[in-house]
Amino acid sequence: MKALVITRFGGPEVLELQTKDDPSPGEGEVRIRVERAGLNFADLSARVGLYPDAPKPPMVVGYEVAGVVDAVGPKVTSVRPGDRVLGVPRFGGQADTLVLPEAQVAAIPPQMSFDDAAALPVNYLTAYHMLFHVHVLKPREKVLLHGAGGGVGIAVIQLCRLVEGVEIFGTASAAKHPLLRDLGVQHPIDYRTEDYAAVVRRLTHGRGVDLVLDPLGGGDWAKGYQLLAPAGQLIAYGWSNMVSGERRNLLRVGSQLLQVRPFTPLGLMDHNRTMSGVNMGHLWGETALLRGHLNRLLDLYAAGKIAPRVDKVFPLSQGADAYRYLQERRNVGKVLFDCTR
Ligand SMILES: NC(=O)c1ccc[n+]([C@@H]2O[C@H](COP(=O)([O-])OP(=O)(O)OC[C@H]3O[C@@H](n4cnc5c(N)ncnc54)[C@H](OP(=O)(O)O)[C@@H]3O)[C@@H](O)[C@H]2O)c1
């Protein structure tokens, strides 16, 4: 088998396509020949050395795959060789072969491509969990969404459209704005040239928004908190501000930590605001919860209500190019690997 290995912390040059022995499925396990694997911002943070959950290098990352089952261990009942499936490993997905516990594998509907099946899990589970489990999105709510043109961002936009009259303020690089408008973002904001907080205040006549979805972290959490309307909620779900270049920058890390403001129960009560956090990686063991979300998402997909936007598919052998593409903020939607090449 072949796997894209992060050989040590550093820039894209630390990625290496390596050949290893094929793993065999044990009891309750399924082996998948992977067609497509997802690339997520967390993988980039892991490569730089800023993702504490990741294994130590040399490591293979990757949270989501789609492919064909080619072997199953004893006591596997839900899938068999030849089935098309998606899989959600905690790490190890960026490879052409993968063994997973049966509980982390699901059959994919006949009309679903491998591209869509690999693009759906992380982005849509995260978006769905935030909008409909941690928050309860209501008609005509106003939502501030950062990274609106990214993988999670586009999933959030599509899911917001399921609820009547939701108004989205989406920050993104300017080149992504026309597409974001087409997708239903009423107010794209170029955070590089405008102060997004000032824009949101102006457009909401000072009232603010009902929900802030913030994967930026540091000072942006404090800024987003100040933008909450009465009974508003901020969900912190990432810290991409930590990643400033191709390598870890300890000065940047220190300055990010200093920008975090403490939130007290008394303050939350007095302001009628809610602060929440989401880390899907730490929910990977909650199989019933995630299976419920996934089934709902597959139903929405079958009904044509959501559709992953796959921006670019890179051969696994060009792993460094894919990581660079994401880091240079060029993606609009999902970046995938073709693990057969
Ligand atoms: N907590 C969870 O369970 C969870 C799950 C999934 C993702 N996340 C988080 O959600 C965020 C989005 O993840 P994703 O996988 O969907 O990635 P993504 O949004 O597709 O990632 C790339 C985009 O992020 C924006 N960006 C913001 N800060 C950046 C930086 N420092 N370096 C490079 N790009 C930056 C850029 O777009 P613009 O310039 O257009 O803004 C870029 O195109 C990440 O922070 C990730 O860690 C969290």
Side-chain angles (χ1 to χ4, degrees), residues 41 126 150-152 172-173 176 191 215 237 240 243 278 280 329 331:
F41 198 86
T126 307
V152 175
S173 300
K176 304 174 187 176
Y191 63 96
Y237 70 104
S240 37
V243 180
V278 164
M280 297 306 285
R329 310 184 187 214
N331 65 306

Side-chain angles (χ1 to χ4, degrees), residues 173-183 188:
S173 300
K176 304 174 187 176
H177 289 197
L179 181 92
L180 290 177
R181 276 209 180 81
D182 288 350
L183 291 174

Side-chain angles (χ1 to χ4, degrees), residues 171-217:
T171 69
S173 300
K176 304 174 187 176
H177 289 197
L179 181 92
L180 290 177
R181 276 209 180 81
D182 288 350
L183 291 174
V185 175
Q186 293 87 343
H187 311 290
I189 305 171
D190 179 6
Y191 63 96
R192 300 190 205 218
T193 57
E194 295 182 284
D195 173 11
Y196 69 80
V199 176
V200 169
R201 270 201 197 91
R202 176 167 49 81
L203 293 175
T204 60
H205 309 290
R207 186 171 189 275
V209 293
D210 305 291
L211 177 64
V212 176
L213 298 175
D214 191 321
L216 304 175

Side-chain angles (χ1 to χ4, degrees), residues 5 14 18 20 46 69 97 116 150 158 163 208 223-224 227 255 265 286 290 296:
V5 178
V14 305
Q18 293 183 358
K20 298 166 178 279
V69 174
T97 305
D116 284 358
Q158 291 181 1
V163 178
K223 213 164 155 179
L227 287 175
S255 106
E286 300 292 323
L290 295 185
R296 175 82 183 113

Side-chain angles (χ1 to χ4, degrees), residues 56-195:
K56 299 224 174 323
M59 62 174 152
V60 180
V61 295
Y63 273 114
E64 54 200 345
V65 301
V68 179
V69 174
D70 87 325
V72 297
K75 300 202 176 153
V76 168
T77 54
S78 60
V79 292
R80 52 186 183 191
D83 284 356
R84 299 165 75 250
V85 293
L86 61 80
V88 285
R90 183 87 209 280
F91 296 100
Q94 289 165 13
D96 67 3
T97 305
L98 184 68
V99 166
L100 277 178
E102 183 181 10
Q104 286 170 244
V105 175
I108 54 179
Q111 77 277 21
M112 191 177 218
S113 65
F114 287 128
D115 277 15
D116 284 358
L120 186 126
V122 173
N123 291 166
Y124 284 82
L125 283 172
T126 307
Y128 186 88
H129 184 71
M130 293 195 293
L131 292 175
F132 301 117
H133 193 89
V134 178
H135 187 72
V136 182
L137 190 64
K138 293 165 275 301
R140 287 169 293 287
E141 281 198 325
K142 296 186 197 308
V143 177
L144 169 61
L145 165 66
H146 293 294
V152 175
I154 288 180
V156 166
I157 295 164
Q158 291 181 1
L159 289 169
C160 279
R161 295 194 66 180
L162 303 177
V163 178
E164 194 199 329
V166 170
E167 198 174 332
I168 305 174
F169 302 75
T171 69
S173 300
K176 304 174 187 176
H177 289 197
L179 181 92
L180 290 177
R181 276 209 180 81
D182 288 350
L183 291 174
V185 175
Q186 293 87 343
H187 311 290
I189 305 171
D190 179 6
Y191 63 96
R192 300 190 205 218
T193 57
E194 295 182 284
D195 173 11

